[in-house]
Amino acid sequence: MPSGTSVNIAGMPRGALAWWLIQHQGAGKTLVVLPEEEEVLSLVDDARSLFKIPDGGLPQPFDIDGYPSDDEPMRQVSLHHWLYGKTALLIASRESLALPCDLPSAFRKRSFKLKPGLAMGRLKFEEVLSLAGYSRNERVEQVGEYAIRGDVIDIWLAGQESPVRLTWTFDTLDAIRTIDLHTLRSEEYLRETMLYPVTAGQGATLSDYLSEEITQIVVPGKGEENGLTPVDGDRDTEGYQPLPVFGGNIDRLREQLVKWHDDDWRVVIFCHNRGERERLEELLIDTLSAARGSRPPWLPPIVVGELEHGFIHPKFRQAVLPNSEIFGRFRKRTRLPKFEGGGGFASPLDIRPNDYLVHEKHGVGRYVGLQSLKVGKVTSEYLSIEYKGGDKLYVPIFEIQQVQKYLGAEGKRPALSSLDSASWERLKSKVKEDVAKLAAELLSKAAKRSIRPGYAFPPKSHLETEFAESFMYKLTPDQEKTLEDVEQDMTLPKAMDRLVCGDVGYGKTEIAMRAALKAALAGKQVCLLCPTTILAEQHARNFSERMADYPVTLQFISRFQEKSEQKKILEGVAKGGIDIIIGTHRLLSGDVTFANLGLLIIDEEHRFGVKQKNKLLALRETVDVLSLSATPIPRTLAFSMAGIKDLSVIETPPEGRLPISTHVGLFDEDVMAKAVQSELDRGGQVFYVHNRVKTLEARRDWLQKLMPSIRIAMAHGQMNEDQLEEAMHHFLHKKVDVLLATTIIESGLDIPSVNTLIVEEAEEMGLAQLYQLRGRVGRSKTKAYCYLFYGGGGLTTDAKKRLEALKEFTALGSGIRLAMRDMEIRGAGNLLGPQQHGNMAAVGIETYSKLLNEEIQKIRGGASDESPEGPLFEMSLSAYIPEDYMPAEMERVQTYKRILSADNVELGKIKEELIDRCGPLGAPVKLLFDTAALRLIAKEKGIAEVHQETEGILIYFRPTFTLGEKAFQTLIQSPRSEYALIPGPPTGVRVPFKEGESPLDTLGRFLRGVFSSSSLAK
């Protein structure tokens, strides 16, 4: 292809463009300019995939990059590759051509090669990062961020799939390693890597990087002609045609393949993954065998690749078919920064400053924060808790297990306990009495379910594995763990009752689909209950598409169907002719019977009424139940926390998901109008929620007068089916700019082009409802905005807390934390009966749950007096994690919890992890691990408490623990200067210090001296 020219490719189908570009790429560079931004990365994937065609007659693979307007870091990487000749083919949109960037000279200064052995001071390196646009954070979560811990710098470089870990020794870079996004551990070593800028500079555009030696190809938009003259010899842009429409019809595909084969065409098929390929091969072998009467001697090559668009060329007898165009399943391709939870779900009860905590011995206080204190020569960290009258309690990290987060059943701010009274112990004793009475009743109800034999589904079959592998997206670690949990539950011979909690769009539906397929393939029926018809319809559509190639029958039922049609469907359910039925609470009606129900899936259970929930409770005793929720109701969540219901949490966002920017404030006409216009200016659409049917039409007239140019449609639950369907059809097909609606949109609508949400009178709505509404936007790669306006009549305390919580929890995966905050705001309700309501308010839900679990354990088989967290250590030790070693306070608290609850094996892993993530252990951290290891030995030897005194340490054994004979003889026969036995119960021992000993040394000497040759009594 000649240089410095533009080639007219008008009329060429999009599927053929990538093929044509590869074939005509010369030795120089080529810039392809597309009319639409969303086509850029799709064309990049298409071009890269085509190199996988076997014997395709293509040139050697070369580098192809995209220059997307909505991914600034990626543009910088592509620009660097373009500048230095690494990229032969650059694909950009018209919009991106005008975006500012550095001049080539400035860009070179902001790019940097990193190699082990690099001599550069840490401060100087931070200057380099700042110049390149990187920002410091406590933890690296997206491209362009870096974190410093000790001698280690984690950084997510532009152009990398995951962050890297840089280890420094003084002023020298020692090593570069990749980081596992889930475990945060380092993995393989890198010889070198490039530090590209993550922000664009000023002074130039992409045109400044072009020259006469660069070929430019301009692709016209629909209805456009670019007016360029085709280059001589390039008439072969003609003749390409789009693929026939197959619509998922395998017979139609088979007929076409047979015709092409008989006419000696070259055919290749692309699938997204191995599962898709295996299933398509099976279908093709079956249908071609049926057509030919025997197993076909030929099959077209089936290649795994990201090709979305295909083409045919009759002149060359060539056909390229992607699976997406055969079945109409197009994958949304994004290359945006990944957001990761990092280490998975730590706890919904992570404590923050100003949270209320419950100390087992001292009661309710307010958490101030971690505080480092030095007493004499000993430095350590303490949890600082404020009590009544401003009194402070400093809790050593080795007593952290005595502290729980307070979540009140009333949702009100608790009264602070007093440090100088015994009222807390009296209150806790009363609660224990009530809990003991309740535990037996609760267990008898729960036992009915756990003891009742359930159906044990068979192990995963070949079809299930194939179905799983055909999933078009990479599973997140949370999804994988949840799928393992559900698989294990279903194969056990007892009824499953599992809650899957995850944000909107985080993959709960895929988990439900796999569970449903497993049940259906085993000959059991599946009932999927949804709170709204819209959501049920969406599920029915998604399930049907995913299961189209599998031997299951699926039906959808709703009140909008004709009575005769409903009757026919229900007869099929009753006779067992329907494997999966999807619908609303209509499925809980008295005329619905199942032939062999095996799995009940409930989507957003909190949206069902009391009557429906009672019916669900009856079903729960006999079948496997899988509940799905973005923000579970406090009662359900509290049940899960108490161990009555199994809980799986999906908090790792899918690739490409961006957090939603949330604005909370008094209704402002100008702010609202500007938000609407900004969305429309970027080609998007708007949801506008006005939750009053009576005034909805007047609101539409007001909006139309305020913004005459916008197109508005209305949607509410009192419209007839045809009106509602027409409004939604117009909105889906972009004939309407703004959908003015009630909260009918909160479930089920998944429209990627809608990325601004405006809610009036948000103070009137619940937190879960607001969270669901916000989940209607931000479903694509586009940045989304949510405006929550409240009226001028003032906010109640609870309403203010709800709106503040929603604004605070804009981070991805916040649904579970919002549910916890919901419990704090409005409480868990009547969780276990009215008699227990006040008890939970008094001590907090987590403390109450702990007491309840202790009672349950006693009834189930006699609870041990052994503390699950290990013995209590009250000793002066400089054992802690310095702030400069791990700067994030919450991370230090979580690490203390992990260390103090770990066994020996896990303790070793945590130590390795800390060295990996933060660098070599300093003296305080080494002592922390030594102390934790000694606690494990002390726990094994029956020790309950160790207290430091002026002259030595005082050790108490567990009340029911019996010393072995040799250990007892050693104690009573030793001189008083060695050990002094204190008769029990509980038995105690006083051990004097020896010269130069620390309390930990003294404890170690005692354990070696007394237990070295003795065995413990059983």
Side-chain angles (χ1 to χ4, degrees):
M1 184 162 39
S3 300
T5 60
S6 295
V7 181
N8 188 347
I9 57 172
M12 182 186 293
R14 190 52 40 88
L17 178 56
W19 177 266
W20 186 87
L21 288 170
I22 292 172
Q23 282 194 319
H24 290 79
Q25 178 62 36
K29 301 178 187 177
T30 301
L31 172 68
V32 181
V33 182
L34 301 177
E36 300 294 335
E37 176 63 38
E38 58 264 26
E39 297 174 344
V40 171
L41 294 181
S42 180
L43 184 58
V44 171
D45 283 338
D46 283 355
R48 289 174 175 170
S49 297
L50 288 171
F51 282 116
K52 297 182 178 181
I53 294 179
D55 301 321
L58 293 171
Q60 286 295 313
F62 49 82
D63 285 331
I64 303 165
D65 273 334
Y67 192 77
S69 64
D70 57 358
D71 192 339
E72 197 169 10
M74 188 177 180
R75 287 204 311 277
Q76 309 315 303
V77 176
S78 298
L79 200 58
H80 188 277
H81 292 171
W82 185 251
L83 180 63
Y84 287 98
K86 182 181 177 183
T87 295
L89 187 62
L90 185 67
I91 300 171
S93 66
R94 293 179 189 176
E95 182 182 351
S96 65
L97 292 181
L99 293 173
C101 63
D102 287 300
L103 286 165
S105 56
F107 188 72
R108 287 185 178 94
K109 293 178 182 177
R110 299 211 302 144
S111 304
F112 202 84
K113 183 177 286 187
L114 297 174
K115 295 181 69 173
L118 173 71
M120 179 181 286
R122 286 265 299 277
L123 291 177
K124 176 64 178 175
F125 184 66
E126 285 197 66
E127 290 176 13
V128 170
L129 293 177
S130 178
L131 182 65
Y134 289 79
S135 58
R136 184 170 177 175
N137 204 356
E138 287 186 345
R139 187 172 66 186
V140 174
E141 294 182 328
Q142 60 176 309
V143 171
E145 291 182 343
Y146 71 95
I148 298 177
R149 291 181 308 277
D151 295 323
V152 173
I153 298 178
D154 289 352
I155 179 170
W156 200 327
L157 298 167
Q160 297 288 343
E161 287 294 314
S162 62
V164 294
R165 179 157 293 152
L166 311 179
T167 308
W168 296 78
T169 300
F170 299 108
D171 291 339
T172 302
L173 175 59
D174 269 350
I176 307 170
R177 289 167 292 172
T178 58
I179 298 174
D180 182 289
L181 282 167
H182 182 56
T183 65
L184 300 183
R185 295 291 300 272
S186 62
E187 295 184 309
E188 62 179 300
Y189 285 84
L190 301 179
R191 292 183 178 180
E192 64 179 40
T193 189
M194 278 299 300
L195 190 158
Y196 301 105
V198 289
T199 55
Q202 299 290 327
T205 63
L206 186 58
S207 59
D208 291 278
Y209 287 77
L210 306 180
S211 65
E212 291 185 359
E213 288 73 38
I214 294 172
T215 301
Q216 298 176 52
I217 298 177
V218 181
V219 180
K222 291 179 181 177
E224 295 180 350
E225 291 187 15
N226 58 15
L228 299 175
T229 304
V231 175
D232 290 340
D234 282 318
R235 300 299 298 179
D236 60 348
T237 59
E238 301 172 358
Y240 289 97
Q241 297 176 13
L243 289 169
V245 176
F246 297 107
N249 189 315
I250 294 296
D251 290 333
R252 193 179 302 162
L253 175 64
R254 180 252 305 161
E255 291 171 5
Q256 185 64 69
L257 289 176
V258 169
K259 186 176 185 304
W260 281 335
H261 178 262
D262 292 344
D263 292 341
D264 200 25
W265 277 48
R266 288 183 301 153
V267 180
V268 64
I269 301 176
F270 275 82
C271 289
H272 288 106
N273 51 51
R274 191 179 65 186
E276 273 188 6
R277 183 179 65 188
E278 289 177 356
R279 186 58 179 159
L280 186 58
E281 279 179 349
E282 286 183 5
L283 292 171
L284 289 178
I285 288 171
D286 290 345
T287 189
L288 290 171
S289 298
R292 299 283 181 167
S294 61
R295 182 181 174 88
W298 59 274
L299 263 185
I302 303 179
V303 180
V304 173
E306 300 294 345
L307 190 75
E308 290 289 336
H309 306 285
F311 63 91
I312 60 173
H313 199 304
K315 178 182 175 182
F316 299 134
R317 287 182 293 182
Q318 181 182 27
V320 177
L321 292 78
N323 187 80
S324 52
E325 288 197 299
I326 294 172
F327 294 101
R329 299 173 188 160
F330 289 92
R331 178 176 182 176
K332 297 174 189 174
R333 293 295 297 156
T334 57
R335 296 275 184 77
L336 290 167
K338 298 176 185 176
F339 291 75
E340 291 288 337
F345 181 60
S347 168
L349 303 174
D350 290 340
I351 56 174
R352 303 162 302 165
N354 295 318
D355 281 345
Y356 289 93
L357 305 181
V358 183
H359 192 288
E360 287 183 6
K361 294 182 178 177
H362 303 287
V364 180
R366 187 178 63 85
Y367 177 57
V368 179
L370 273 181
Q371 191 162 341
S372 180
L373 297 176
K374 187 172 184 178
V375 181
K377 295 181 179 180
V378 174
T379 302
S380 191
E381 276 202 307
Y382 300 80
L383 271 67
S384 177
I385 305 176
E386 184 180 24
Y387 282 83
K388 188 176 180 180
D391 292 343
K392 292 280 183 67
L393 177 69
Y394 295 100
V395 181
I397 55 175
F398 287 102
E399 297 177 31
I400 202 169
Q401 68 267 31
Q402 295 189 6
V403 176
Q404 311 292 339
K405 186 170 181 177
Y406 176 90
L407 294 173
E410 295 291 346
K412 296 177 181 178
R413 181 177 296 179
L416 297 182
S417 303
S418 173
L419 284 178
D420 60 358
S421 79
S423 59
W424 171 251
E425 285 301 326
R426 289 196 298 271
L427 174 62
K428 201 164 69 166
S429 296
K430 179 185 177 299
V431 173
K432 279 184 176 179
E433 290 176 13
D434 290 342
V435 164
K437 296 173 185 176
L438 174 72
E441 177 192 347
L442 180 64
L443 264 184
S444 66
K445 290 180 180 179
K448 284 181 183 178
R449 178 174 181 80
S450 60
I451 294 171
R452 187 189 301 270
Y455 180 75
F457 287 93
K460 188 180 289 185
S461 66
H462 168 65
L463 283 179
E464 288 178 70
T465 302
E466 198 177 80
F467 184 81
E469 290 178 348
S470 69
F471 186 49
M472 295 174 68
Y473 305 94
K474 182 182 178 182
L475 291 172
T476 65
D478 296 344
Q479 287 173 325
E480 289 180 346
K481 177 64 170 63
T482 302
L483 286 167
E484 289 172 7
D485 291 341
V486 172
E487 174 73 17
Q488 184 178 14
D489 286 353
M490 292 183 72
T491 53
L492 291 175
K494 68 173 188 174
M496 170 176 72
D497 192 5
R498 180 168 293 277
L499 166 65
V500 177
C501 181
D503 275 12
V504 176
Y506 273 39
K508 300 189 298 295
T509 303
E510 176 66 17
I511 287 155
M513 285 183 185
R514 296 192 192 185
L517 183 69
K518 183 178 193 67
L521 292 176
K524 291 286 186 176
Q525 289 177 298
V526 181
C527 175
L528 171 54
L529 279 173
C530 307
T532 66
T533 303
I534 293 176
L535 183 56
E537 285 178 348
Q538 180 167 304
H539 275 317
R541 187 166 59 250
N542 291 338
F543 271 62
S544 296
E545 287 177 2
R546 279 282 276 138
M547 296 182 180
D549 306 332
Y550 294 85
V552 296
T553 56
L554 184 147
Q555 279 289 353
F556 161 72
I557 190 170
S558 82
R559 60 187 174 88
F560 294 117
Q561 293 167 326
E562 296 289 337
K563 295 292 184 185
S564 57
E565 187 179 358
Q566 290 186 39
K567 184 180 179 182
K568 184 179 178 182
I569 292 170
L570 293 179
E571 284 175 357
V573 173
K575 293 177 181 177
I578 293 173
D579 299 312
I580 302 173
I581 181 72
I582 300 173
T584 62
H585 54 272
R586 171 70 181 85
L587 289 170
L588 296 174
S589 303
D591 60 341
V592 180
T593 57
F594 293 89
N596 191 13
L597 183 63
L599 175 65
L600 172 65
I601 303 172
I602 309 170
D603 199 1
E604 301 297 344
E605 186 178 357
H606 68 276
R607 304 280 309 284
F608 290 94
V610 174
K611 188 177 179 181
Q612 286 91 29
K613 284 177 183 173
N614 288 335
K615 184 77 180 283
L616 292 176
L617 284 172
L619 284 172
R620 270 193 161 94
E621 290 192 7
T622 57
V623 300
D624 281 18
V625 178
L626 183 65
S627 304
L628 314 175
S629 182
T631 50
I633 55 172
R635 175 188 173 93
T636 305
L637 187 58
F639 262 63
S640 299
M641 288 162 46
I644 301 166
K645 179 193 288 285
D646 294 318
L647 172 68
S648 293
V649 178
I650 306 174
E651 67 164 4
T652 307
E655 178 180 352
R657 187 62 59 87
L658 288 168
I660 300 167
S661 179
T662 304
H663 167 87
V664 176
L666 191 66
F667 184 83
D668 186 310
E669 183 180 300
D670 292 337
V671 172
M672 181 277 295
K674 186 177 179 181
V676 171
Q677 195 58 52
S678 294
E679 183 59 54
L680 301 188
D681 287 346
R682 62 176 183 165
Q685 294 172 284
V686 178
F687 281 138
Y688 194 116
V689 177
H690 176 86
N691 203 30
R692 298 179 188 271
V693 175
K694 289 183 179 179
T695 55
L696 200 64
E697 197 165 326
R699 203 60 175 166
R700 181 194 62 187
D701 296 341
W702 175 80
L703 282 170
Q704 198 71 75
K705 187 176 180 181
L706 183 67
M707 295 176 282
S709 62
I710 66 172
R711 299 166 297 175
I712 304 172
M714 291 196 310
H716 59 79
Q718 294 178 22
M719 296 171 71
N720 67 48
E721 187 181 2
D722 292 339
Q723 289 176 316
L724 187 60
E725 188 175 333
E726 183 182 6
M728 291 309 306
H729 180 81
H730 286 165
F731 191 61
L732 281 166
H733 291 84
K734 286 196 163 187
K735 294 179 181 178
V736 170
D737 302 313
V738 177
L739 185 66
L740 176 64
T742 59
T743 54
I744 191 174
I745 67 165
E746 74 177 283
S747 290
L749 291 178
D750 184 1
I751 308 175
S753 60
V754 185
N755 284 297
T756 292
L757 168 72
I758 293 166
V759 181
E760 291 184 2
E761 297 182 328
E763 73 275 18
E764 299 295 327
M765 301 176 195
L767 187 54
Q769 188 175 39
L770 287 169
Y771 191 71
Q772 286 281 21
L773 281 170
R774 189 173 67 178
R776 294 303 110 210
V777 296
R779 309 280 298 204
S780 68
K781 61 184 180 180
T782 307
K783 180 69 176 176
Y785 299 88
C786 170
Y787 294 81
L788 303 176
F789 292 116
Y790 52 84
L795 294 174
T796 65
T797 302
D798 280 2
K800 186 177 180 182
K801 284 181 180 178
R802 283 197 298 272
L803 294 176
E804 285 175 349
L806 204 67
K807 186 175 182 181
E808 175 185 350
F809 291 113
T810 57
L812 296 166
S814 295
I816 186 73
R817 288 173 173 79
L818 266 168
M820 298 304 305
R821 183 61 58 84
D822 201 11
M823 259 206 280
E824 293 181 65
I825 293 169
R826 66 185 177 96
N830 190 1
L831 180 62
L832 300 170
Q835 71 275 24
Q836 299 298 331
H837 207 199
N839 289 333
M840 284 185 291
V843 299
I845 291 171
E846 191 178 7
T847 303
Y848 182 91
S849 298
K850 187 176 180 180
L851 295 173
L852 179 61
N853 280 327
E854 288 173 0
E855 290 299 325
I856 287 173
Q857 285 302 112
K858 284 181 184 178
I859 296 172
R860 277 177 170 166
S864 167
D865 62 334
E866 178 182 340
S867 167
E869 297 89 1
L872 174 64
F873 273 22
E874 288 186 341
M875 295 186 288
S876 296
L877 301 167
S878 290
Y880 65 102
I881 303 172
E883 188 175 349
D884 60 353
Y885 188 72
M886 185 179 284
E889 180 176 307
M890 180 56 65
E891 198 171 0
R892 293 204 305 282
V893 173
Q894 289 175 352
T895 305
Y896 287 137
K897 286 181 178 180
R898 289 180 62 199
I899 290 172
L900 296 175
S901 60
D903 58 23
N904 268 317
V905 174
E906 184 63 24
L907 204 58
K909 291 179 180 178
I910 297 171
K911 183 186 290 188
E912 289 176 5
E913 180 186 321
L914 245 61
I915 294 171
D916 180 26
R917 295 187 61 212
C918 305
L921 305 180
V925 189
K926 284 181 181 176
L927 188 57
L928 176 64
F929 278 100
D930 290 345
T931 307
L934 205 58
R935 278 177 87 247
L936 291 173
I937 298 172
K939 178 181 179 181
E940 179 193 346
K941 305 305 182 187
I943 293 173
E945 297 178 19
V946 180
H947 302 274
Q948 181 174 340
E949 300 181 315
T950 307
E951 303 291 330
I953 60 173
L954 182 58
I955 299 169
Y956 285 111
F957 291 91
R958 295 195 300 273
T960 59
F961 185 82
T962 305
L963 284 166
E965 183 180 345
K966 290 186 178 179
F968 185 74
Q969 289 294 330
T970 301
L971 282 174
I972 62 172
Q973 291 175 4
S974 64
R976 189 169 180 81
S977 60
E978 188 76 23
Y979 314 118
L981 185 65
I982 303 170
T987 303
V989 181
R990 183 170 277 109
V991 186
F993 289 136
K994 289 189 175 180
E995 189 175 348
E997 271 188 343
S998 71
L1000 202 64
D1001 293 335
T1002 306
L1003 177 59
R1005 171 168 56 85
F1006 167 77
L1007 291 170
R1008 288 190 302 273
V1010 175
F1011 294 103
S1012 59
S1013 60
S1014 64
S1015 59
L1016 297 176
K1018 301 295 182 185

PDB file of all heavy atoms in Angstrom, residues 31 42 159 173 222 291 295 522 623-624 737 746 880 894:
ATOM      1  N   LEU A  31      -2.257   4.359  10.101  1.00  0.00           N
ATOM      2  CA  LEU A  31      -3.236   4.874  11.064  1.00  0.00           C
ATOM      3  C   LEU A  31      -4.627   4.682  10.480  1.00  0.00           C
ATOM      4  O   LEU A  31      -4.900   5.120   9.359  1.00  0.00           O
ATOM      5  CB  LEU A  31      -2.997   6.359  11.342  1.00  0.00           C
ATOM      6  CG  LEU A  31      -4.075   7.055  12.194  1.00  0.00           C
ATOM      7  CD1 LEU A  31      -4.056   6.522  13.623  1.00  0.00           C
ATOM      8  CD2 LEU A  31      -3.890   8.568  12.188  1.00  0.00           C
ATOM      9  N   SER A  42     -12.753  -3.156  19.472  1.00  0.00           N
ATOM     10  CA  SER A  42     -13.311  -4.313  18.774  1.00  0.00           C
ATOM     11  C   SER A  42     -12.501  -4.628  17.522  1.00  0.00           C
ATOM     12  O   SER A  42     -12.205  -5.794  17.235  1.00  0.00           O
ATOM     13  CB  SER A  42     -14.774  -4.037  18.409  1.00  0.00           C
ATOM     14  OG  SER A  42     -15.324  -5.134  17.731  1.00  0.00           O
ATOM     15  N   GLY A 159      -0.442  -0.037  30.752  1.00  0.00           N
ATOM     16  CA  GLY A 159      -0.137  -1.104  29.814  1.00  0.00           C
ATOM     17  C   GLY A 159       0.045  -2.468  30.435  1.00  0.00           C
ATOM     18  O   GLY A 159       0.288  -3.444  29.730  1.00  0.00           O
ATOM     19  N   LEU A 173      17.353  -0.420  42.973  1.00  0.00           N
ATOM     20  CA  LEU A 173      16.214  -1.276  42.672  1.00  0.00           C
ATOM     21  C   LEU A 173      16.707  -2.718  42.572  1.00  0.00           C
ATOM     22  O   LEU A 173      17.506  -3.053  41.699  1.00  0.00           O
ATOM     23  CB  LEU A 173      15.567  -0.837  41.349  1.00  0.00           C
ATOM     24  CG  LEU A 173      14.410  -1.706  40.829  1.00  0.00           C
ATOM     25  CD1 LEU A 173      13.275  -1.769  41.841  1.00  0.00           C
ATOM     26  CD2 LEU A 173      13.903  -1.153  39.502  1.00  0.00           C
ATOM     27  N   LYS A 222     -21.890   5.809   8.986  1.00  0.00           N
ATOM     28  CA  LYS A 222     -23.088   5.412   8.248  1.00  0.00           C
ATOM     29  C   LYS A 222     -23.635   6.614   7.483  1.00  0.00           C
ATOM     30  O   LYS A 222     -23.799   7.692   8.037  1.00  0.00           O
ATOM     31  CB  LYS A 222     -24.149   4.875   9.210  1.00  0.00           C
ATOM     32  CG  LYS A 222     -23.761   3.544   9.828  1.00  0.00           C
ATOM     33  CD  LYS A 222     -24.832   3.054  10.793  1.00  0.00           C
ATOM     34  CE  LYS A 222     -24.417   1.726  11.419  1.00  0.00           C
ATOM     35  NZ  LYS A 222     -25.403   1.263  12.412  1.00  0.00           N
ATOM     36  N   ALA A 291     -27.303 -34.947   8.354  1.00  0.00           N
ATOM     37  CA  ALA A 291     -27.486 -34.549   6.950  1.00  0.00           C
ATOM     38  C   ALA A 291     -26.863 -35.554   6.001  1.00  0.00           C
ATOM     39  O   ALA A 291     -27.413 -35.865   4.946  1.00  0.00           O
ATOM     40  CB  ALA A 291     -26.882 -33.163   6.729  1.00  0.00           C
ATOM     41  N   ARG A 295     -21.020 -40.020  10.233  1.00  0.00           N
ATOM     42  CA  ARG A 295     -20.148 -38.991  10.802  1.00  0.00           C
ATOM     43  C   ARG A 295     -19.444 -38.248   9.665  1.00  0.00           C
ATOM     44  O   ARG A 295     -18.870 -38.871   8.770  1.00  0.00           O
ATOM     45  CB  ARG A 295     -19.107 -39.631  11.732  1.00  0.00           C
ATOM     46  CG  ARG A 295     -18.198 -38.609  12.399  1.00  0.00           C
ATOM     47  CD  ARG A 295     -17.167 -39.285  13.304  1.00  0.00           C
ATOM     48  NE  ARG A 295     -16.223 -38.318  13.815  1.00  0.00           N
ATOM     49  CZ  ARG A 295     -16.392 -37.610  14.926  1.00  0.00           C
ATOM     50  NH1 ARG A 295     -17.491 -37.784  15.620  1.00  0.00           N
ATOM     51  NH2 ARG A 295     -15.489 -36.748  15.327  1.00  0.00           N
ATOM     52  N   ALA A 522     -30.008 -33.140  36.353  1.00  0.00           N
ATOM     53  CA  ALA A 522     -30.184 -34.257  37.291  1.00  0.00           C
ATOM     54  C   ALA A 522     -31.645 -34.702  37.381  1.00  0.00           C
ATOM     55  O   ALA A 522     -31.985 -35.562  38.196  1.00  0.00           O
ATOM     56  CB  ALA A 522     -29.685 -33.856  38.674  1.00  0.00           C
ATOM     57  N   VAL A 623     -36.313 -28.241  49.815  1.00  0.00           N
ATOM     58  CA  VAL A 623     -35.510 -28.128  48.592  1.00  0.00           C
ATOM     59  C   VAL A 623     -34.269 -27.267  48.838  1.00  0.00           C
ATOM     60  O   VAL A 623     -34.182 -26.533  49.824  1.00  0.00           O
ATOM     61  CB  VAL A 623     -36.331 -27.523  47.425  1.00  0.00           C
ATOM     62  CG1 VAL A 623     -37.523 -28.366  47.089  1.00  0.00           C
ATOM     63  CG2 VAL A 623     -36.749 -26.088  47.739  1.00  0.00           C
ATOM     64  N   ASP A 624     -33.318 -27.360  47.915  1.00  0.00           N
ATOM     65  CA  ASP A 624     -32.147 -26.484  47.953  1.00  0.00           C
ATOM     66  C   ASP A 624     -32.583 -25.055  47.628  1.00  0.00           C
ATOM     67  O   ASP A 624     -33.386 -24.840  46.705  1.00  0.00           O
ATOM     68  CB  ASP A 624     -31.112 -26.931  46.917  1.00  0.00           C
ATOM     69  CG  ASP A 624     -30.305 -28.129  47.395  1.00  0.00           C
ATOM     70  OD1 ASP A 624     -30.766 -28.795  48.326  1.00  0.00           O
ATOM     71  OD2 ASP A 624     -29.231 -28.393  46.839  1.00  0.00           O
ATOM     72  N   ASP A 737     -34.609  10.372  24.880  1.00  0.00           N
ATOM     73  CA  ASP A 737     -33.398  10.763  25.610  1.00  0.00           C
ATOM     74  C   ASP A 737     -33.513  10.496  27.108  1.00  0.00           C
ATOM     75  O   ASP A 737     -32.551  10.079  27.749  1.00  0.00           O
ATOM     76  CB  ASP A 737     -33.107  12.256  25.401  1.00  0.00           C
ATOM     77  CG  ASP A 737     -32.946  12.617  23.942  1.00  0.00           C
ATOM     78  OD1 ASP A 737     -32.210  11.897  23.246  1.00  0.00           O
ATOM     79  OD2 ASP A 737     -33.564  13.594  23.493  1.00  0.00           O
ATOM     80  N   GLU A 746     -36.053   0.044  39.073  1.00  0.00           N
ATOM     81  CA  GLU A 746     -34.963  -0.342  39.976  1.00  0.00           C
ATOM     82  C   GLU A 746     -34.460  -1.762  39.782  1.00  0.00           C
ATOM     83  O   GLU A 746     -33.340  -2.085  40.152  1.00  0.00           O
ATOM     84  CB  GLU A 746     -35.354  -0.134  41.442  1.00  0.00           C
ATOM     85  CG  GLU A 746     -36.331  -1.142  41.988  1.00  0.00           C
ATOM     86  CD  GLU A 746     -36.613  -0.903  43.458  1.00  0.00           C
ATOM     87  OE1 GLU A 746     -35.774  -1.263  44.282  1.00  0.00           O
ATOM     88  OE2 GLU A 746     -37.682  -0.347  43.779  1.00  0.00           O
ATOM     89  N   TYR A 880       4.699  -5.086  67.501  1.00  0.00           N
ATOM     90  CA  TYR A 880       3.684  -4.353  66.743  1.00  0.00           C
ATOM     91  C   TYR A 880       4.177  -4.147  65.315  1.00  0.00           C
ATOM     92  O   TYR A 880       5.306  -4.518  64.956  1.00  0.00           O
ATOM     93  CB  TYR A 880       3.392  -3.004  67.402  1.00  0.00           C
ATOM     94  CG  TYR A 880       4.556  -2.038  67.405  1.00  0.00           C
ATOM     95  CD1 TYR A 880       4.618  -0.981  66.492  1.00  0.00           C
ATOM     96  CD2 TYR A 880       5.600  -2.169  68.323  1.00  0.00           C
ATOM     97  CE1 TYR A 880       5.696  -0.104  66.485  1.00  0.00           C
ATOM     98  CE2 TYR A 880       6.674  -1.295  68.325  1.00  0.00           C
ATOM     99  CZ  TYR A 880       6.712  -0.257  67.405  1.00  0.00           C
ATOM    100  OH  TYR A 880       7.774   0.603  67.396  1.00  0.00           O
ATOM    101  N   GLN A 894      -6.385  -5.274  60.364  1.00  0.00           N
ATOM    102  CA  GLN A 894      -6.722  -6.556  59.752  1.00  0.00           C
ATOM    103  C   GLN A 894      -5.573  -7.553  59.878  1.00  0.00           C
ATOM    104  O   GLN A 894      -5.786  -8.742  60.108  1.00  0.00           O
ATOM    105  CB  GLN A 894      -7.075  -6.349  58.273  1.00  0.00           C
ATOM    106  CG  GLN A 894      -8.392  -5.640  58.061  1.00  0.00           C
ATOM    107  CD  GLN A 894      -8.642  -5.335  56.587  1.00  0.00           C
ATOM    108  OE1 GLN A 894      -7.775  -5.527  55.738  1.00  0.00           O
ATOM    109  NE2 GLN A 894      -9.821  -4.825  56.285  1.00  0.00           N
TER     110      GLN A 894
END
